């Protein structure tokens, strides 16, 4: 299974430039940590990113949360992604018909496709959502993740929905040229459908070393549970890192603690 192959050896199983870049960075920096910077100003987000950058393979944003969004922010973010060696993932969760999402992805205030390496979409509208986003993103070498499962309590993305999401990708994007993986809680690509040599990235949010949940339905698992037990490839951590009490160094140290926990779980998985 994919979970027994080192990240570095999975690079050759991909053709999408963003998938290759992610696996190369993970291998080079020994990190399977993505930090989600869900703060309400772009200036605060940049501060967090500078502190955690060295420990992560990916920075995840929700730019529609920012009160002070400008394109100077995205320029600075792209610059930092090169200096500190990470990919940018705008967690936009597109969920409309192909034509609308292609416009939402390329236009509006945020112009996501012009700066974000990776974005994601719900499968609920059907395969047209993949085609609509692909039209914009594929020529730019961008990548897409589909949401196959969610971390929140009561999620409807389970069982048949999850399986059908996986099948939709297989049928719509035959060579994984644009869809490079899934947001999921489990290794959903282990089902027989997967042909030898085909690889998808599984990214799991809802991760905390000491957090247990919040009052709004979020559920947390440890890096070990995600990476070792469920076979996920990348852990996504938000409040567990940027929400830590303390000085500037506390966030940096916490990111490093999560990086080490995620990497240790991965090494144990390989040696299973
Ligand atoms: P936190 O670690 O603070 O709970 O943040 C989790 C992040 O991951 C949030 O940005 C949220 O939007 C995102 N997320 C999630 O929590 N569960 C999912 O199933 C999918 C997500 O994108």
């Amino acid at each position: 299974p994919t979970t027994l192959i080192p990240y570095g050896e999975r690079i050759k199983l991909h053709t999408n430039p963003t998938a290759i870049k992610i696996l190369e960075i993970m291998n080079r920096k020994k990190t399977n940590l993505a930090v989600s910077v869900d703060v309400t100003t772009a200036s605060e987000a940049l501060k967090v990113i500078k502190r955690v950058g060295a420990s992560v393979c990916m920075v995840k944003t929700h730019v529609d949360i920012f009160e002070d969004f400008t394109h100077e922010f995205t320029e600075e973010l792209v610059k930092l992604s090169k200096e500190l060696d990470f990919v940018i993932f705008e967690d936009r969760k597109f969920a409309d018909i192909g034509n609308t999402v292609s416009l939402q992805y390329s236009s509006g205030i945020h112009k996501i496709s012009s700066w974000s390496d990776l974005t994601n979409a719900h499968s609920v509208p059907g395969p047209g959502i993949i085609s609509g986003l692909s039209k914009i993103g594929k020529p730019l070498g961008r990548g897409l993740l589909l949401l196959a499962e969610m971390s929140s309590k009561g999620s409807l993305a389970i069982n048949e929905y999850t399986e059908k999401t996986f099948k939709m990708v297989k049928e719509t994007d035959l060579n994984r040229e644009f869809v490079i993986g899934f947001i999921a809680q489990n290794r959903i690509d282990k089902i027989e459908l997967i042909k030898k040599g085909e690889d998808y990235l599984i990214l799991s949010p809802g991760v905390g070393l000491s957090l247990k949940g919040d009052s709004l339905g979020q559920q947390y698992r440890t890096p070990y549970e995600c990476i070792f037990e469920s076979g996920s490839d990348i852990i996504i951590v938000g409040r567990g890192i940027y929400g830590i009490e303390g000085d500037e160094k506390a966030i940096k140290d916490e990111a490093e603690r999560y990086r080490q926990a995620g990497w240790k779980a991965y090494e144990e998985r390989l040696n299973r």
Side-chain angles (χ1 to χ4, degrees):
T2 306
T3 49
L4 297 177
I5 311 173
Y7 296 133
E9 287 175 28
R10 290 165 61 182
I11 297 168
K12 62 175 186 292
L13 304 175
H14 290 266
T15 52
N16 176 286
T18 297
I20 293 170
K21 195 167 153 190
I22 295 167
L23 287 162
E24 281 174 350
I25 295 173
M26 292 170 79
N27 195 39
R28 183 160 59 231
K29 292 173 72 179
K30 295 199 184 334
T31 177
N32 49 26
L33 172 66
V35 171
S36 183
V37 274
D38 305 333
V39 292
T40 54
T41 63
S43 46
E44 181 61 27
L46 289 173
K47 280 189 200 156
V48 174
I49 293 163
K50 284 177 192 160
R51 285 167 201 158
V52 304
S55 304
V56 305
C57 61
M58 187 179 293
V59 165
K60 186 173 86 59
T61 53
H62 282 295
V63 289
D64 56 353
I65 295 178
F66 298 152
E67 287 159 11
D68 56 348
F69 178 84
T70 57
H71 282 285
E72 279 85 78
F73 166 76
T74 57
E75 278 163 27
E76 182 66 17
L77 180 60
V78 169
K79 204 173 120 217
L80 285 173
S81 76
K82 288 178 185 149
E83 282 170 18
L84 299 170
D85 202 19
F86 60 78
V87 300
I88 305 166
F89 170 21
E90 165 58 23
D91 187 1
R92 173 62 179 76
K93 295 190 181 69
F94 292 101
D96 213 321
I97 60 164
N99 183 60
T100 302
V101 296
S102 72
L103 295 168
Q104 289 172 322
Y105 186 26
S106 60
S107 310
I109 291 174
H110 298 122
K111 303 188 192 346
I112 295 165
S113 63
S114 73
W115 53 270
S116 186
D117 297 294
L118 191 60
T119 192
N120 55 355
H122 286 292
S123 52
V124 89
I129 194 165
I130 300 176
S131 315
L133 293 168
S134 173
K135 196 177 95 179
I136 305 292
K138 201 168 89 178
L140 298 169
R142 305 304 190 199
L144 181 70
L145 304 169
L146 278 222
L147 285 117
E149 289 176 325
M150 292 194 73
S151 61
S152 42
K153 200 160 185 254
S155 165
L156 302 181
I158 53 170
N159 304 335
E160 200 187 347
Y161 182 96
T162 305
E163 277 165 39
K164 284 191 169 171
T165 299
F166 184 70
K167 280 191 198 150
M168 188 194 291
V169 167
K170 291 274 305 168
E171 286 158 15
T172 313
D173 189 28
L174 295 177
N175 301 311
R176 292 161 303 130
E177 286 178 341
F178 186 51
V179 184
I180 64 171
F182 300 89
I183 296 289
Q185 298 291 301
N186 296 286
R187 187 89 232 162
I188 59 155
D189 59 356
K190 69 186 163 222
I191 45 184
E192 323 70 58
L193 273 169
I194 195 151
K195 277 194 245 126
K196 210 169 173 286
E198 281 187 31
D199 187 42
Y200 290 97
L201 299 176
I202 306 288
L203 282 71
S204 300
V207 181
L209 279 166
S210 40
L211 308 171
K212 285 286 161 274
D214 66 14
S215 59
L216 301 172
Q218 177 66 299
Q219 306 175 112
Y220 291 110
R221 298 182 300 167
T222 62
Y224 184 85
E225 287 172 291
C226 292
I227 304 282
F228 184 89
E229 289 175 11
S230 298
S232 169
D233 295 313
I234 294 176
I235 50 171
I236 299 175
V237 184
R239 285 165 285 180
I241 292 176
Y242 73 77
I244 192 93
E245 300 281 330
D247 57 6
E248 290 185 13
K249 204 171 155 291
I251 291 183
K252 187 176 169 19
D253 291 348
E254 198 63 0
E256 190 50 25
R257 193 162 83 95
Y258 275 88
R259 184 196 68 78
Q260 284 173 10
W263 198 258
K264 186 163 171 270
Y266 159 71
E267 285 183 329
E268 279 182 40
R269 171 171 113 184
L270 289 182
N271 297 324
R272 191 186 325 236

